[in-house]
Amino acid sequence: MKRLLLFLLLAQSVLLVAAQQLRNPVIPGFHPDPSVCRVGDDFYLVNSSFHYFPGVPIFHSKDLVNWEQIGNVLDRESQLPLEGATSWLGIYAPTIRYHEGTYYMITTNVGKRGNFLVTAKNPAGPWSEPVWLEQGGIDPSLYFEDGKCYMVSNPDNTIVLCEIDPVTGKQLTQGRPLWQGTGGRWPEGPHIYKKDGYYYLLISEGGTELAHKLTIARSRNIYGPYESNPANPILTNCSRDGQSMQIQGTGHGDFVQAQDGSWWMVFLAYRNFGGSYHHIGRETCLVPVEWKAGEWPVVGGGRAVDTLMTVKTLPAVPVKKPASRTLFNKGIQLGPEWVYLQNPIMANYQLTEGKLRLVSHGTLAENRQPTFLGRRQESPNIQVETEVTLHHPIEDKYGLAVYQINDGYLMFYATSHDINVEYRLKSVNGILASEDWSLADVPERVRLRITSNGERYYFSYACNDETSYTPLADIECSLVSTEVVGGFTGVTIGMFTEYFFNNSSATAYGDFSYFEYIER
């Protein structure tokens, strides 16, 4: 009996410890600029999407740790015009808020008309057409109080507040400057909260790289003056405490209070791999907040945040993960994790005879609605695979792309006579490896496989019904990192087709049987 009791106590302690292990990121891969709101027992979170369509992925959670994507806020071209957008443009940091039965998402379409908001009764959609706003800057946010709707954004490197009509978008008051931060560059990402008689203004400073940080000020009046927290920054890994951690670039956060009264913050950060390089993007992380009545919030105990924290979390509620293999059967509904580059030409994506037919339209480098369908890389350790049937006799390209930006990506593709791994870095092209076939040996079908361990991508292939794969090449992941090729996004991996030298004299297409994404 004593042994049984001891065993039960030990088991209970193990479960307790396991329940207190918080692993970051909570939404891995290219999911930057998180904003969160709570409605009852449910949490909803949105992220930036830049030049990808559909835009602004939206997630649901019961525990702030386990998240399921339930849709994309901007799923129509009328909501999200992306003509000519690169990964430097498109949808910047969104904010989600809930007020009197309506969900609001406010954001910026950089390169188009600027700031706008959309609304919905159900966070899974549908969301309204855009309501365009007058005040400029980026990273707009909303705050509701006493029948009024306030908007903050950062025109001229200053956090500016105005009152708006959220139905028409009309600006009702002149913009009032609130704060310029503590002196860090690019004060942005403002959010306003009211607690214990104070209005708290949370912002990001330092740029979304190593110097990224979160700072906060408060005032008894929403229009100020705002007093800076003497303990600023309240979150940064650009410190002696955080300099050796894998997580870097911590910033751009949003507070939320859970149903048990505890406070939390979601924020963005990136993970380095193979040195000081990050390639899978800025990710959504979580940290507990201590916020005593009348005092300043203390984030993560005032310490740097790493990939593993021992904290008391909310009771875990697991969520369903997307299927690892997608078969392109007629009538299939693709999950919300799938994305295109810019607004897709849907006629170039056809379901036919149990396969996805991709019709070529220009090249990835040209960035004019290229034919590409993929998903975010959410783990450093992955295996991605597809099978393509070739149909055109000229050297058009059909295969997989490891895409960071339109002048920084890898291509693994088959043509009518060979298989290549090619890189494009700021207009410099190179063939890493090729396997030449004589025309008599051209296979009907080619399976292409990419694996990664976080530091290198490995490329292998198999022809027709071969069961073994032939290694072709491998390359450092840093080649498509933000530090090398730039951009604000992260790697997406997907199927693509390209014309040979943009040969548009004939219709070229490849038929893809399936797409498999496995985290290992």
Side-chain angles (χ1 to χ4, degrees), residues 82-372:
L82 290 172
E83 181 183 358
T86 69
S87 64
W88 302 99
L89 302 175
I91 297 298
Y92 278 39
T95 294
I96 186 170
R97 293 293 183 259
Y98 176 80
H99 180 66
E100 295 182 350
T102 299
Y103 293 87
Y104 295 80
M105 192 283 297
I106 183 172
T107 189
T108 314
N109 190 339
V110 176
K112 297 299 179 183
R113 290 182 59 182
N115 293 322
F116 67 96
L117 65 83
V118 292
T119 59
K121 294 300 183 180
N122 183 338
W127 290 74
S128 72
E129 289 298 300
V131 175
W132 295 96
L133 305 168
E134 299 174 45
Q135 182 167 290
I138 61 170
D139 304 356
S141 183
L142 296 175
Y143 175 74
F144 295 90
E145 186 178 43
D146 296 334
K148 296 181 178 181
C149 177
Y150 297 93
M151 168 186 170
V152 281
S153 59
N154 74 333
D156 301 319
N157 280 318
T158 302
I159 307 304
V160 174
L161 173 78
C162 70
E163 185 184 341
I164 66 169
D165 182 335
V167 176
T168 66
K170 181 176 176 59
Q171 187 167 322
L172 303 179
T173 63
Q174 183 177 356
R176 296 269 295 271
L178 300 185
W179 196 39
Q180 289 187 310
T182 62
R185 62 179 179 171
W186 300 326
E188 57 194 10
H191 295 302
I192 289 178
Y193 316 86
K194 191 173 185 182
K195 185 177 184 296
D196 308 323
Y198 285 101
Y199 294 92
Y200 288 86
L201 176 59
L202 176 71
I203 73 168
S204 303
E205 300 184 50
T208 187
E209 300 95 21
L210 277 175
H212 211 23
K213 59 186 177 181
L214 281 161
T215 57
I216 196 167
R218 69 182 183 183
S219 172
R220 293 287 189 181
N221 188 306
I222 194 169
Y223 287 106
Y226 279 82
E227 167 199 6
S228 178
N229 182 357
N232 277 325
I234 60 172
L235 176 66
T236 185
N237 270 24
C238 189
S239 61
R240 282 181 294 177
D241 185 28
Q243 64 183 349
S244 62
M245 294 181 176
Q246 186 183 27
I247 283 185
Q248 294 296 323
T250 53
H252 200 109
D254 197 4
F255 290 121
V256 67
Q257 188 176 27
Q259 55 270 45
D260 66 354
S262 61
W263 283 91
W264 299 84
M265 175 190 281
V266 294
F267 65 97
L268 72 78
Y270 58 81
R271 288 177 290 170
N272 283 331
F273 297 96
S276 298
Y277 299 97
H278 75 281
H279 63 289
I280 62 175
R282 296 172 298 157
E283 308 173 291
T284 293
C285 297
L286 177 71
V287 66
V289 177
E290 184 182 21
W291 204 342
K292 296 179 180 179
E295 298 186 10
W296 296 99
V298 178
V299 178
R303 298 181 296 274
V305 178
D306 207 354
T307 52
L308 182 63
M309 301 179 68
T310 301
V311 299
K312 182 180 179 181
T313 57
L314 301 178
V317 181
V319 298
K320 182 181 178 180
K321 298 294 184 183
S324 60
R325 176 172 285 212
T326 300
L327 299 174
F328 297 112
N329 301 316
K330 192 171 184 179
I332 184 178
Q333 294 294 317
L334 294 177
E337 70 273 13
W338 290 89
V339 291
Y340 306 86
L341 292 168
Q342 304 172 335
N343 302 118
I345 302 172
M346 291 310 300
N348 293 336
Y349 304 83
Q350 306 167 9
L351 290 173
T352 174
E353 298 178 355
K355 296 181 180 180
L356 174 66
R357 177 164 294 177
L358 298 184
V359 180
S360 298
H361 183 262
T363 68
L364 295 174
E366 289 173 323
N367 199 47
R368 293 184 299 176
Q369 296 171 284
T371 302
F372 172 92

Side-chain angles (χ1 to χ4, degrees), residues 25-34 45-59 69 72 80 82 86-94 208 267-271 273 278-285 336-342 372 374-380 403-405 457 480 482 486-493 517 519:
V26 291
I27 306 180
F30 158 45
H31 292 103
D33 305 319
L45 183 146
V46 292
N47 297 109
S48 300
S49 52
F50 295 90
H51 63 319
Y52 285 96
F53 184 92
V56 187
I58 182 165
F59 292 84
Q69 188 175 353
N72 292 277
L80 183 55
L82 290 172
T86 69
S87 64
W88 302 99
L89 302 175
I91 297 298
Y92 278 39
T208 187
F267 65 97
L268 72 78
Y270 58 81
R271 288 177 290 170
F273 297 96
H278 75 281
H279 63 289
I280 62 175
R282 296 172 298 157
E283 308 173 291
T284 293
C285 297
E337 70 273 13
W338 290 89
V339 291
Y340 306 86
L341 292 168
Q342 304 172 335
F372 172 92
R375 55 158 298 163
R376 294 162 173 87
Q377 180 180 344
E378 297 180 357
S379 169
Y403 184 92
Q404 178 73 250
I405 189 173
Y457 288 108
V480 287
T482 296
F488 286 144
T489 56
V491 163
T492 55
I493 301 182
Y517 173 91
E519 296 182 355

